[in-house]
Amino acid sequence: MGTVTLGVSIAVPEPYGSFLQKRREGFGDPHAHGIPTHVTLLPPTEADDSCLPAIEAHLAQVAAAGRPFPMRLSGTGTFRPLSPVVFVNVVEGSAACAWLQKRIRDTAGPVARELLFPYHPHVTIAHGIAEEAMDRAFEELADFEAAWAVGGFALYEQGTDGVWRLEREYPFGQSEQDAPPMATGVPHQGVVRPSAPSR
């Protein structure tokens, strides 16, 4: 019996996901290759591996109650000086993300936990790197735009190599035929592809 480090997120689909991951790597973030581009619903959380069945059942229940919603990203923001993070803004879909993350972290559930900061959905593009590089990320992606329909979320596990890998996807809706398909091209792990988003 051991512990695992889990996270739950909404993956940013292709071609946007790989584009932002490659840009994050280009800004000098040494962990970029191992982090698929995403909007966090449950931050990295340690759990006993024997709890995985209960966690997966809980996530399935949350997803079953969820409904598809539009997501739109636009421009950049930062948590500096409070936290060394530059991000792409979530300008549509924030309320749905907040609803999901609250239910995932429900105090009666298997992954109940408090957050260090109030929940603020975003897509990280630079974290803990030199201030000059953070400034570049903020400026160079200021005109970034992306939009898609969110059809569900996913459970990821961090390996001993630091790479986050997809464990299971959770489409919204009560039944498979009623739920729309997940957005195509969702990155399953930290693999950088040379594609760029269409503008």
Side-chain angles (χ1 to χ4, degrees):
M1 195 183 313
T3 61
V4 290
T5 302
L6 305 173
V8 179
S9 63
I10 295 168
V12 175
E14 302 300 356
Y16 312 112
S18 290
F19 172 79
L20 290 176
Q21 189 180 40
K22 189 173 183 180
R23 292 307 307 271
R24 183 171 178 174
E25 187 176 40
F27 295 133
D29 190 326
H31 305 294
H33 75 282
I35 306 173
T37 310
H38 67 282
V39 177
T40 298
L41 297 177
L42 177 73
T45 300
E46 282 196 8
D48 193 307
D49 56 13
S50 66
C51 294
L52 279 172
I55 292 169
E56 292 185 352
H58 171 64
L59 294 176
Q61 287 181 339
V62 174
R67 292 294 178 265
F69 62 91
M71 177 83 81
R72 187 163 70 88
L73 310 179
S74 180
T76 52
T78 183
F79 293 133
R80 295 182 293 175
L82 192 62
S83 181
V85 173
V86 172
F87 55 85
V88 171
N89 296 305
V90 174
V91 296
E92 186 175 5
S94 294
C97 290
W99 185 90
L100 288 166
Q101 66 87 29
K102 185 176 180 180
R103 278 148 186 80
I104 289 168
R105 295 187 303 103
D106 190 285
T107 54
V111 283
R113 60 163 294 174
E114 294 295 322
L115 299 179
L116 295 176
F117 302 102
Y119 182 71
H120 183 281
H122 63 280
V123 177
T124 299
I125 52 172
H127 181 206
I129 56 177
E131 286 295 318
E132 297 80 7
M134 303 270 274
D135 291 340
R136 274 185 56 219
F138 186 87
E139 292 163 9
E140 292 180 17
L141 289 171
D143 63 348
F144 180 83
E145 299 278 341
W148 71 96
V150 176
F153 56 81
L155 172 67
Y156 289 79
E157 181 178 336
Q158 187 178 39
T160 55
D161 56 0
V163 174
W164 287 91
R165 294 180 174 84
L166 177 71
E167 290 298 311
R168 182 174 166 188
E169 292 179 300
Y170 295 88
F172 294 142
Q174 297 297 328
S175 64
E176 197 169 325
Q177 64 261 29
D178 292 336
M182 295 284 285
T184 57
V186 172
H188 283 198
Q189 58 183 23
V191 177
V192 177
R193 297 179 181 88
S195 56
S198 55
R199 297 290 175 100

